[in-house]
PDB file of all heavy atoms in Angstrom:
ATOM      1  N   THR A 195      -7.287  -7.310  -3.383  1.00 86.00           N
ATOM      2  CA  THR A 195      -7.638  -6.252  -2.416  1.00 86.00           C
ATOM      3  C   THR A 195      -7.614  -6.876  -1.050  1.00 86.00           C
ATOM      4  O   THR A 195      -7.858  -8.076  -0.935  1.00 86.00           O
ATOM      5  CB  THR A 195      -8.997  -5.574  -2.671  1.00 86.00           C
ATOM      6  OG1 THR A 195      -9.993  -6.523  -2.451  1.00 86.00           O
ATOM      7  CG2 THR A 195      -9.068  -5.092  -3.992  1.00 86.00           C
ATOM      8  N   SER A 196      -7.429  -6.042  -0.032  1.00 72.00           N
ATOM      9  CA  SER A 196      -7.314  -6.619   1.312  1.00 72.00           C
ATOM     10  C   SER A 196      -8.738  -6.977   1.831  1.00 72.00           C
ATOM     11  O   SER A 196      -8.918  -7.610   2.934  1.00 72.00           O
ATOM     12  CB  SER A 196      -6.545  -5.800   2.267  1.00 72.00           C
ATOM     13  OG  SER A 196      -7.052  -4.447   2.332  1.00 72.00           O
ATOM     14  N   GLY A 197      -9.753  -6.747   1.071  1.00 65.00           N
ATOM     15  CA  GLY A 197     -11.076  -7.217   1.396  1.00 65.00           C
ATOM     16  C   GLY A 197     -11.739  -6.566   2.518  1.00 65.00           C
ATOM     17  O   GLY A 197     -12.364  -7.158   3.277  1.00 65.00           O
ATOM     18  N   THR A 198     -11.641  -5.286   2.662  1.00 59.00           N
ATOM     19  CA  THR A 198     -12.330  -4.585   3.657  1.00 59.00           C
ATOM     20  C   THR A 198     -13.785  -4.587   3.437  1.00 59.00           C
ATOM     21  O   THR A 198     -14.522  -4.239   4.290  1.00 59.00           O
ATOM     22  CB  THR A 198     -11.697  -3.119   3.856  1.00 59.00           C
ATOM     23  OG1 THR A 198     -11.428  -2.586   2.640  1.00 59.00           O
ATOM     24  CG2 THR A 198     -10.445  -3.062   4.712  1.00 59.00           C
ATOM     25  N   HIS A 241       1.320  -6.583  -0.552  1.00 94.00           N
ATOM     26  CA  HIS A 241       0.244  -5.595  -0.503  1.00 94.00           C
ATOM     27  C   HIS A 241       0.393  -4.626  -1.583  1.00 94.00           C
ATOM     28  O   HIS A 241       1.439  -3.901  -1.611  1.00 94.00           O
ATOM     29  CB  HIS A 241       0.144  -4.887   0.899  1.00 94.00           C
ATOM     30  CG  HIS A 241      -1.025  -3.930   0.926  1.00 94.00           C
ATOM     31  ND1 HIS A 241      -0.922  -2.699   1.511  1.00 94.00           N
ATOM     32  CD2 HIS A 241      -2.244  -3.945   0.428  1.00 94.00           C
ATOM     33  CE1 HIS A 241      -2.018  -2.042   1.466  1.00 94.00           C
ATOM     34  NE2 HIS A 241      -2.779  -2.825   0.769  1.00 94.00           N
ATOM     35  N   GLY A 314       0.703   6.086   2.632  1.00 96.00           N
ATOM     36  CA  GLY A 314      -0.520   5.909   1.877  1.00 96.00           C
ATOM     37  C   GLY A 314      -1.170   4.681   2.366  1.00 96.00           C
ATOM     38  O   GLY A 314      -0.699   4.006   3.214  1.00 96.00           O
ATOM     39  N   GLY A 315      -2.436   4.493   1.829  1.00 94.00           N
ATOM     40  CA  GLY A 315      -3.234   3.323   2.364  1.00 94.00           C
ATOM     41  C   GLY A 315      -4.373   3.677   3.173  1.00 94.00           C
ATOM     42  O   GLY A 315      -5.435   3.133   3.145  1.00 94.00           O
ATOM     43  N   SER A 316      -4.164   4.757   3.982  1.00 93.00           N
ATOM     44  CA  SER A 316      -5.267   5.437   4.665  1.00 93.00           C
ATOM     45  C   SER A 316      -4.806   6.840   5.015  1.00 93.00           C
ATOM     46  O   SER A 316      -3.662   7.165   4.763  1.00 93.00           O
ATOM     47  CB  SER A 316      -5.811   4.640   5.832  1.00 93.00           C
ATOM     48  OG  SER A 316      -4.771   4.370   6.696  1.00 93.00           O
ATOM     49  N   THR A 317      -5.818   7.755   5.520  1.00 94.00           N
ATOM     50  CA  THR A 317      -5.409   9.041   5.654  1.00 94.00           C
ATOM     51  C   THR A 317      -4.222   9.301   6.717  1.00 94.00           C
ATOM     52  O   THR A 317      -4.357   8.784   7.785  1.00 94.00           O
ATOM     53  CB  THR A 317      -6.626   9.863   6.114  1.00 94.00           C
ATOM     54  OG1 THR A 317      -7.710   9.571   5.236  1.00 94.00           O
ATOM     55  CG2 THR A 317      -6.407  11.385   6.172  1.00 94.00           C
ATOM     56  N   HIS A 336       2.215  12.687   1.597  1.00 96.00           N
ATOM     57  CA  HIS A 336       1.006  11.883   1.479  1.00 96.00           C
ATOM     58  C   HIS A 336       0.859  11.333   0.095  1.00 96.00           C
ATOM     59  O   HIS A 336       1.125  12.068  -0.881  1.00 96.00           O
ATOM     60  CB  HIS A 336      -0.166  12.856   1.747  1.00 96.00           C
ATOM     61  CG  HIS A 336      -1.297  12.227   2.410  1.00 96.00           C
ATOM     62  ND1 HIS A 336      -2.432  12.954   2.874  1.00 96.00           N
ATOM     63  CD2 HIS A 336      -1.611  10.933   2.698  1.00 96.00           C
ATOM     64  CE1 HIS A 336      -3.299  12.159   3.379  1.00 96.00           C
ATOM     65  NE2 HIS A 336      -2.907  10.926   3.296  1.00 96.00           N
ATOM     66  N   THR A 337       0.464  10.087   0.007  1.00 97.00           N
ATOM     67  CA  THR A 337       0.154   9.416  -1.280  1.00 97.00           C
ATOM     68  C   THR A 337      -1.080   8.659  -1.248  1.00 97.00           C
ATOM     69  O   THR A 337      -1.501   8.337  -0.137  1.00 97.00           O
ATOM     70  CB  THR A 337       1.392   8.465  -1.653  1.00 97.00           C
ATOM     71  OG1 THR A 337       1.287   7.375  -0.765  1.00 97.00           O
ATOM     72  CG2 THR A 337       2.708   9.062  -1.635  1.00 97.00           C
ATOM     73  N   TRP A 338      -1.633   8.376  -2.339  1.00 97.00           N
ATOM     74  CA  TRP A 338      -2.855   7.595  -2.433  1.00 97.00           C
ATOM     75  C   TRP A 338      -2.751   6.418  -3.467  1.00 97.00           C
ATOM     76  O   TRP A 338      -2.107   6.695  -4.514  1.00 97.00           O
ATOM     77  CB  TRP A 338      -4.016   8.537  -2.862  1.00 97.00           C
ATOM     78  CG  TRP A 338      -5.303   7.786  -3.218  1.00 97.00           C
ATOM     79  CD1 TRP A 338      -6.292   7.500  -2.371  1.00 97.00           C
ATOM     80  CD2 TRP A 338      -5.722   7.428  -4.505  1.00 97.00           C
ATOM     81  NE1 TRP A 338      -7.331   6.881  -3.136  1.00 97.00           N
ATOM     82  CE2 TRP A 338      -6.969   6.802  -4.430  1.00 97.00           C
ATOM     83  CE3 TRP A 338      -5.244   7.607  -5.800  1.00 97.00           C
ATOM     84  CZ2 TRP A 338      -7.714   6.305  -5.540  1.00 97.00           C
ATOM     85  CZ3 TRP A 338      -5.929   7.058  -6.884  1.00 97.00           C
ATOM     86  CH2 TRP A 338      -7.144   6.424  -6.731  1.00 97.00           C
ATOM     87  N   GLY A 339      -3.152   5.321  -3.086  1.00 96.00           N
ATOM     88  CA  GLY A 339      -3.089   4.191  -4.019  1.00 96.00           C
ATOM     89  C   GLY A 339      -4.185   3.125  -3.795  1.00 96.00           C
ATOM     90  O   GLY A 339      -4.868   3.246  -2.707  1.00 96.00           O
ATOM     91  N   MET A 340      -4.131   2.116  -4.557  1.00 95.00           N
ATOM     92  CA  MET A 340      -5.134   1.087  -4.423  1.00 95.00           C
ATOM     93  C   MET A 340      -4.459  -0.152  -5.028  1.00 95.00           C
ATOM     94  O   MET A 340      -3.676  -0.043  -5.942  1.00 95.00           O
ATOM     95  CB  MET A 340      -6.423   1.352  -5.147  1.00 95.00           C
ATOM     96  CG  MET A 340      -7.212   2.512  -4.730  1.00 95.00           C
ATOM     97  SD  MET A 340      -8.728   2.706  -5.626  1.00 95.00           S
ATOM     98  CE  MET A 340      -9.735   1.423  -4.730  1.00 95.00           C
ATOM     99  N   THR A 341      -4.928  -1.315  -4.599  1.00 94.00           N
ATOM    100  CA  THR A 341      -4.548  -2.565  -5.319  1.00 94.00           C
ATOM    101  C   THR A 341      -4.808  -2.509  -6.796  1.00 94.00           C
ATOM    102  O   THR A 341      -4.010  -2.968  -7.581  1.00 94.00           O
ATOM    103  CB  THR A 341      -5.312  -3.736  -4.637  1.00 94.00           C
ATOM    104  OG1 THR A 341      -5.063  -3.775  -3.287  1.00 94.00           O
ATOM    105  CG2 THR A 341      -4.964  -5.040  -5.265  1.00 94.00           C
ATOM    106  N   GLU A 342      -5.903  -1.821  -7.207  1.00 96.00           N
ATOM    107  CA  GLU A 342      -6.253  -1.884  -8.535  1.00 96.00           C
ATOM    108  C   GLU A 342      -5.429  -0.890  -9.415  1.00 96.00           C
ATOM    109  O   GLU A 342      -5.534  -0.831 -10.659  1.00 96.00           O
ATOM    110  CB  GLU A 342      -7.756  -1.308  -8.662  1.00 96.00           C
ATOM    111  CG  GLU A 342      -8.825  -2.216  -8.192  1.00 96.00           C
ATOM    112  CD  GLU A 342      -9.089  -2.064  -6.680  1.00 96.00           C
ATOM    113  OE1 GLU A 342      -8.196  -1.477  -5.925  1.00 96.00           O
ATOM    114  OE2 GLU A 342     -10.089  -2.560  -6.123  1.00 96.00           O
ATOM    115  N   GLN A 370      -4.359  14.208  -0.482  1.00 97.00           N
ATOM    116  CA  GLN A 370      -3.690  12.994  -0.899  1.00 97.00           C
ATOM    117  C   GLN A 370      -2.862  13.205  -2.119  1.00 97.00           C
ATOM    118  O   GLN A 370      -2.033  12.417  -2.488  1.00 97.00           O
ATOM    119  CB  GLN A 370      -4.738  11.960  -1.103  1.00 97.00           C
ATOM    120  CG  GLN A 370      -5.171  11.081   0.050  1.00 97.00           C
ATOM    121  CD  GLN A 370      -6.005  11.892   1.068  1.00 97.00           C
ATOM    122  OE1 GLN A 370      -6.481  12.980   0.817  1.00 97.00           O
ATOM    123  NE2 GLN A 370      -6.305  11.374   2.242  1.00 97.00           N
ATOM    124  N   THR A 428     -13.631   4.383  -7.755  1.00 96.00           N
ATOM    125  CA  THR A 428     -12.665   4.058  -6.575  1.00 96.00           C
ATOM    126  C   THR A 428     -13.393   3.669  -5.381  1.00 96.00           C
ATOM    127  O   THR A 428     -12.867   3.061  -4.513  1.00 96.00           O
ATOM    128  CB  THR A 428     -11.641   5.153  -6.344  1.00 96.00           C
ATOM    129  OG1 THR A 428     -12.488   6.297  -5.964  1.00 96.00           O
ATOM    130  CG2 THR A 428     -10.917   5.406  -7.563  1.00 96.00           C
ATOM    131  N   ASP A 430     -13.892   5.953  -3.272  1.00 95.00           N
ATOM    132  CA  ASP A 430     -13.527   7.047  -2.362  1.00 95.00           C
ATOM    133  C   ASP A 430     -14.269   8.307  -2.612  1.00 95.00           C
ATOM    134  O   ASP A 430     -14.380   8.769  -3.855  1.00 95.00           O
ATOM    135  CB  ASP A 430     -11.977   7.284  -2.572  1.00 95.00           C
ATOM    136  CG  ASP A 430     -11.110   6.125  -2.047  1.00 95.00           C
ATOM    137  OD1 ASP A 430     -11.534   5.509  -1.111  1.00 95.00           O
ATOM    138  OD2 ASP A 430      -9.986   5.971  -2.478  1.00 95.00           O
ATOM    139  N   ILE A 442      -9.301  13.089   0.063  1.00 95.00           N
ATOM    140  CA  ILE A 442     -10.257  11.961   0.375  1.00 95.00           C
ATOM    141  C   ILE A 442     -11.060  12.475   1.643  1.00 95.00           C
ATOM    142  O   ILE A 442     -10.519  12.602   2.735  1.00 95.00           O
ATOM    143  CB  ILE A 442      -9.625  10.731   0.693  1.00 95.00           C
ATOM    144  CG1 ILE A 442      -8.708  10.305  -0.574  1.00 95.00           C
ATOM    145  CG2 ILE A 442     -10.627   9.668   1.081  1.00 95.00           C
ATOM    146  CD1 ILE A 442      -8.493   8.907  -0.867  1.00 95.00           C
ATOM    147  N   ARG A 445     -14.297   6.977   2.660  1.00 89.00           N
ATOM    148  CA  ARG A 445     -14.567   6.002   1.750  1.00 89.00           C
ATOM    149  C   ARG A 445     -16.068   5.836   1.711  1.00 89.00           C
ATOM    150  O   ARG A 445     -16.746   5.996   2.675  1.00 89.00           O
ATOM    151  CB  ARG A 445     -13.938   4.671   2.294  1.00 89.00           C
ATOM    152  CG  ARG A 445     -12.490   4.742   2.401  1.00 89.00           C
ATOM    153  CD  ARG A 445     -11.907   3.423   2.791  1.00 89.00           C
ATOM    154  NE  ARG A 445     -11.864   2.455   1.686  1.00 89.00           N
ATOM    155  CZ  ARG A 445     -11.142   1.322   1.726  1.00 89.00           C
ATOM    156  NH1 ARG A 445     -10.472   1.038   2.694  1.00 89.00           N
ATOM    157  NH2 ARG A 445     -11.078   0.523   0.651  1.00 89.00           N
ATOM    158  N   LYS A 536      -4.330  -1.026   8.440  1.00 92.00           N
ATOM    159  CA  LYS A 536      -5.356   0.164   8.380  1.00 92.00           C
ATOM    160  C   LYS A 536      -6.246  -0.117   9.588  1.00 92.00           C
ATOM    161  O   LYS A 536      -6.459  -1.239  10.107  1.00 92.00           O
ATOM    162  CB  LYS A 536      -6.216   0.158   7.129  1.00 92.00           C
ATOM    163  CG  LYS A 536      -5.334   0.150   5.893  1.00 92.00           C
ATOM    164  CD  LYS A 536      -6.172   0.247   4.627  1.00 92.00           C
ATOM    165  CE  LYS A 536      -5.382   0.018   3.427  1.00 92.00           C
ATOM    166  NZ  LYS A 536      -6.097   0.429   2.221  1.00 92.00           N
TER     167      LYS A 536
HETATM  168  P1  ADP B 603      -8.854  -2.236   0.538  1.00 55.92           P
HETATM  169  O1  ADP B 603      -9.888  -1.599  -0.182  1.00 55.92           O
HETATM  170  O2  ADP B 603      -9.239  -3.673   0.865  1.00 55.92           O
HETATM  171  O3  ADP B 603      -8.390  -1.476   1.796  1.00 55.92           O
HETATM  172  P2  ADP B 603      -6.506  -1.396  -0.741  1.00 55.92           P
HETATM  173  O4  ADP B 603      -5.367  -1.644   0.120  1.00 55.92           O
HETATM  174  O5  ADP B 603      -6.265  -1.467  -2.229  1.00 55.92           O
HETATM  175  O6  ADP B 603      -7.610  -2.385  -0.352  1.00 55.92           O
HETATM  176  O7  ADP B 603      -7.013   0.061  -0.368  1.00 55.92           O
HETATM  177  C1  ADP B 603      -7.355   1.088  -1.241  1.00 55.92           C
HETATM  178  C2  ADP B 603      -8.123   2.147  -0.454  1.00 55.92           C
HETATM  179  O8  ADP B 603      -7.274   2.688   0.597  1.00 55.92           O
HETATM  180  C3  ADP B 603      -8.404   3.389  -1.293  1.00 55.92           C
HETATM  181  O9  ADP B 603      -9.533   3.189  -2.028  1.00 55.92           O
HETATM  182  C4  ADP B 603      -8.602   4.427  -0.202  1.00 55.92           C
HETATM  183  O10 ADP B 603      -9.895   4.316   0.322  1.00 55.92           O
HETATM  184  C5  ADP B 603      -7.593   4.055   0.778  1.00 55.92           C
HETATM  185  N1  ADP B 603      -6.498   4.873   0.660  1.00 55.92           N
HETATM  186  C6  ADP B 603      -5.320   4.734   0.110  1.00 55.92           C
HETATM  187  N2  ADP B 603      -4.466   5.750   0.287  1.00 55.92           N
HETATM  188  C7  ADP B 603      -5.079   6.614   1.030  1.00 55.92           C
HETATM  189  C8  ADP B 603      -4.745   7.894   1.598  1.00 55.92           C
HETATM  190  N3  ADP B 603      -3.571   8.502   1.428  1.00 55.92           N
HETATM  191  N4  ADP B 603      -5.675   8.589   2.322  1.00 55.92           N
HETATM  192  C9  ADP B 603      -6.947   8.007   2.538  1.00 55.92           C
HETATM  193  N5  ADP B 603      -7.280   6.852   2.067  1.00 55.92           N
HETATM  194  C10 ADP B 603      -6.334   6.122   1.406  1.00 55.92           C
END
Side-chain angles (χ1 to χ4, degrees):
T195 64
S196 52
T198 40
H241 181 221
S316 52
T317 306
H336 212 173
T337 67
W338 169 86
M340 298 183 79
T341 302
E342 292 86 341
Q370 275 72 9
T428 62
D430 286 334
I442 301 207
R445 297 183 79 162
K536 306 184 189 194

